Amino acid sequence: MTIEIGLVRKMPVRAQMKAFAVTADQVDDKPYGLDWALLKSRGFEGSVGEAQVVSGPEGIVAVLGLGDSKKLDATAFRLAGVAFVRAAKQQKRIAADVLGAAGQNISVPSAAQAFAEGLELGAYSYTAMKSQPELNAVKTVALVASGKRVSEAVVRAQAIAAGVNLARELLNQPGGTITTA
């Protein structure tokens, strides 16, 4: 399954679910006008790979944790992508504004590549042998970003994820179904 990832300048109104990323040290700042008391009551701390879905002023929102801002790396953004696509698995059109946290430790293009890889890798599931497979419904992701380097990074991420997902598909085949001849 390939997800169409497009770059946009601002968060689209028509997205069925929107995502914002926060670092663990931003949680106390209460950004994005969300019900942070509810998030905290659910145990949200902004840890790496953490996702919490809530209703916000703009509809359904996934708040994604990136961990400590001083330790941001590709893994944090990749796990945020995985967490988001899994949280939004019943939505077709989703949008994310997560690259604002990139900066000192990771460039915006590297963060975009990692996040896009996470989206593609997180949406994968092996369904060939399942009688009633549960497919991820996500078809398009609008990523708030711009620039040629970011666009190239997203294309590179999709190529890498396609290769990884092909390898997963081949490895999941029952023994004897794939032969060399």
Side-chain angles (χ1 to χ4, degrees), residues 15-20 53-62 84 87 91:
Q16 294 169 311
M17 182 183 284
K18 299 170 183 174
F20 300 100
V53 178
V54 295
S55 282
E58 298 184 27
I60 303 172
V61 176
F84 181 39
Q91 311 301 326

Side-chain angles (χ1 to χ4, degrees), residues 1-3 5 78 82 85 112-125 153-169:
M1 172 186 164
T2 301
I3 298 171
I5 302 173
R78 191 173 296 108
V82 169
V85 78
Q113 179 175 336
F115 187 75
E117 287 172 4
L119 291 169
E120 294 283 358
L121 297 173
Y124 173 81
S125 64
V154 169
V155 170
R156 188 171 40 255
Q158 290 184 295
I160 291 167
V164 170
N165 286 340
L166 174 61
R168 288 171 159 179
E169 197 69 22

Side-chain angles (χ1 to χ4, degrees), residues 53-123:
V53 178
V54 295
S55 282
E58 298 184 27
I60 303 172
V61 176
V63 184
L64 309 174
L66 294 173
D68 186 348
S69 63
K70 294 176 186 77
K71 298 178 184 176
L72 278 181
D73 60 6
T75 300
F77 283 95
R78 191 173 296 108
L79 291 174
V82 169
F84 181 39
V85 78
R86 289 183 178 167
K89 67 183 176 186
Q90 296 178 356
Q91 311 301 326
K92 289 184 181 179
R93 294 179 321 276
I94 60 177
D97 186 358
V98 298
L99 302 178
Q104 283 186 329
N105 299 335
I106 184 169
S107 67
V108 172
S110 295
Q113 179 175 336
F115 187 75
E117 287 172 4
L119 291 169
E120 294 283 358
L121 297 173

Side-chain angles (χ1 to χ4, degrees), residues 6-10 96-97 99 108 112 143-147 150:
L7 303 183
V8 296
R9 295 201 182 276
K10 64 179 189 167
D97 186 358
L99 302 178
V108 172
L143 182 59
V144 178
S146 62
V150 174

